[in-house]
Amino acid sequence: MANGSTSMHAFGEQPDRPSADGTSRGTQYTGRYVVVLDPNSQQRGLDALVSAAGIAPVRRVRGVAAAEASGLLENPDVSVVFEDLAVAVVEVRPEQRLALVTSAEAEDAILAAEPERWVRASQIIAPDRAPAKFFPAYRGDEDVLARQSRAEAAADQGPALDEQTTTWGLQAIRANASGLTGRGVRIAVLDTGVDTDHPDLAGRIEETASFVADETVEDGHGHGTHCIGTAAGPAQPQQGPRYGVATEARVLAGKVLNNEGDGTDGQILAGMEWAIAKGAKVISMSLGGRVELGELFPQTYEILAERALQLGTVIVAAAGNHSLRPGFVSPVDVPANCPSILAVGSLDKAMRIAFSSCGGLNGQGGEVNIAAPGVRVHSAAPGGGYATMSGTSMATPHVAGVLALLSEANPEASAADLVAALKAGAFPLPQPARDVGVGLLQAP
């Protein structure tokens, strides 16, 4: 097992099935374990867990059938295996947890085992401090920017942005200048669900599934509908400016966070299995859990993200909103801190990093890969209306939408090719790569 020492450390700290109260600054665990298996030896790995650790009886789920897994994940008498991803969410008695970790370290059919976390929507709920001015030029003013401090020059160049026809975010990434629409590309948004009756989105949603027990896919929070609107809202919404990047992409709406904005690793894994089986080219996850300075990325998510890339799916995740700039920068959240997941930082209208956006302090995958508009973003809201939200959550679906545009333009491109093209097309910014990665997201 690649991460034995990390698992042993976490083993000693996790409580038994705590509630996610939304107030803790640290990681919370569910009491279960996530176990990544060798795809060619799944049964041998499970047999080892049964014999050594006495895990609960196993139920197998594959592909689109993962949409039926919400009840299984809530059942303490069942362990669930998602066969296409070769990952299990296992129930184990507290006194057997050490045996599970020990057996996982000894059995080469088990690649990683970690306690299952609670994760949350990555939205800022405190008042933000966005400036009023707008950065008006991105590709055509290199000479000017070369002679001046780019950020200062940009902040002095133009008046506040006119958002009568297009949001400032779409203008900043040049989505409104692109002739691409994402037609034929599926974007999966794993979040709090969606308003399936929203007049802007109803005709765009190809499939829905709820991985939250006792909750339908309908969005009782608002976060998911907003993110879906940014990724794939229409070219001509019922009201207000255009806010969607990939205006003809097909949406797979997976509810992995409940109406309070909370979810578990198991729900996310079920959503990933379902989305990949449905042919998603991109999985957008505006969610995460806080990590500490020096903390390594989770082996479980990294291995699964690598498998997703091999299957043709790029995973994008929010970098997190735990910083308080200037003065305090928090490391990139899990799972965005995995090397094979694109971590997205948040920018305001003046192309300054948002005060709360997490930074690449931990390395080894904990970097911010790219930055996108995430402050005062206008998009769809439940009830058929609209809302303005801020956070790396709002930046992330901008990236998912641009990946859909790139996929439309290069239908034979691999997932790795799409990631390379995304990074190559970014506009350099003067801020440290720690905060903005390769720079400002740009549409092709």
Side-chain angles (χ1 to χ4, degrees):
M1 187 178 67
N3 62 332
S5 60
T6 300
S7 295
M8 290 291 285
H9 178 70
F11 164 79
E13 295 181 346
Q14 64 168 329
D16 292 333
R17 289 187 175 278
S19 296
D21 60 12
T23 59
S24 174
R25 292 171 63 85
T27 303
Q28 291 185 306
Y29 300 102
T30 67
R32 300 180 296 197
Y33 270 76
V34 176
V35 180
V36 181
L37 306 164
D38 182 335
N40 299 315
S41 307
Q42 290 191 45
Q43 190 56 53
R44 180 154 60 87
L46 290 170
D47 289 345
L49 293 174
V50 170
S51 62
I55 64 170
V58 172
R59 292 285 300 273
R60 297 176 178 275
V61 177
R62 165 161 283 179
V64 297
E68 309 300 325
S70 61
L72 295 176
L73 290 170
E74 289 296 308
N75 187 342
D77 297 323
V78 170
S79 297
V80 184
V81 177
F82 299 103
E83 291 190 311
D84 285 350
L85 285 178
V87 60
V89 181
V90 300
E91 293 278 358
V92 60
R93 297 188 305 277
E95 65 272 20
Q96 288 288 88
R97 288 174 185 158
L98 181 58
L100 181 146
V101 174
T102 302
S103 62
E105 290 178 324
E107 173 55 63
D108 59 12
I110 299 174
L111 305 183
E114 295 168 341
E116 184 191 37
R117 305 167 187 80
W118 283 100
V119 295
R120 297 187 174 88
S122 298
Q123 176 194 355
I124 300 174
I125 56 176
D128 61 59
R129 301 176 293 184
K133 292 185 176 180
F134 172 58
F135 188 108
Y138 299 94
R139 281 178 173 163
D141 61 351
E142 287 89 347
D143 292 339
V144 173
L145 295 177
R147 294 193 298 271
Q148 304 179 51
S149 165
R150 293 183 180 185
E152 292 178 0
D156 289 340
Q157 282 182 19
L161 177 64
D162 180 356
E163 293 188 277
Q164 289 295 313
T165 58
T166 311
T167 62
W168 77 267
L170 297 196
Q171 295 178 59
I173 67 170
R174 297 174 63 87
N176 59 326
S178 175
L180 298 166
T181 63
R183 177 179 296 182
V185 181
R186 293 184 178 91
I187 300 175
V189 179
L190 304 184
D191 211 285
T192 60
V194 65
D195 174 7
T196 56
D197 295 324
H198 196 292
D200 291 351
L201 305 177
R204 310 289 310 289
I205 300 169
E206 184 168 288
E207 296 274 357
T208 65
S210 175
F211 304 92
V212 179
D214 302 321
E215 291 189 13
T216 72
V217 77
E218 293 298 327
D219 186 6
H221 184 283
H223 192 267
T225 300
H226 199 276
C227 290
I228 287 172
T230 298
Q236 296 180 324
Q238 294 289 313
Q239 298 179 32
R242 173 189 162 187
Y243 53 84
V245 177
T247 57
E248 293 188 305
R250 307 301 301 173
V251 176
L252 303 172
K255 183 168 184 167
V256 299
L257 305 177
N258 62 25
N259 289 333
E260 302 299 320
D262 300 321
T264 66
D265 288 336
Q267 290 164 338
I268 295 168
L269 298 175
M272 289 171 59
E273 172 102 1
W274 170 77
I276 292 171
K278 285 291 183 181
K281 184 60 69 174
V282 186
I283 296 177
S284 185
M285 301 197 302
S286 293
L287 50 79
R290 191 168 189 169
V291 304
E292 301 299 327
L293 190 63
E295 184 176 337
L296 295 175
F297 60 85
Q299 288 289 323
T300 49
Y301 272 107
E302 172 57 17
I303 294 170
L304 298 176
E306 291 174 356
R307 289 178 183 170
L309 286 171
Q310 293 168 358
L311 294 170
T313 305
V314 181
I315 300 177
V316 187
N321 306 308
H322 308 297
S323 298
L324 188 60
R325 302 168 185 264
F328 175 71
V329 179
S330 185
V332 170
D333 276 4
V334 60
N337 63 345
C338 293
S340 297
I341 294 179
L342 280 171
V344 185
S346 171
L347 296 168
D348 64 25
K349 289 182 180 179
M351 295 299 102
R352 293 187 292 209
I353 191 71
F355 79 91
S356 64
S357 190
C358 290
L361 302 182
N362 282 342
Q364 299 186 62
E367 302 88 357
V368 172
N369 297 116
I370 197 166
V375 176
R376 296 184 179 176
V377 175
H378 171 90
S379 186
Y386 304 90
T388 298
M389 297 184 181
S390 297
T392 51
S393 279
M394 284 63 247
T396 300
H398 282 94
V399 176
V402 168
L403 282 166
L405 303 184
L406 288 167
S407 181
E408 178 193 7
N410 306 279
E412 302 303 320
S414 68
D417 291 339
L418 294 178
V419 172
L422 184 88
K423 292 180 176 179
F427 185 84
L429 293 171
Q431 294 95 330
R434 177 199 72 170
D435 294 331
V436 300
V438 294
L440 171 63
L441 173 73
Q442 294 283 273

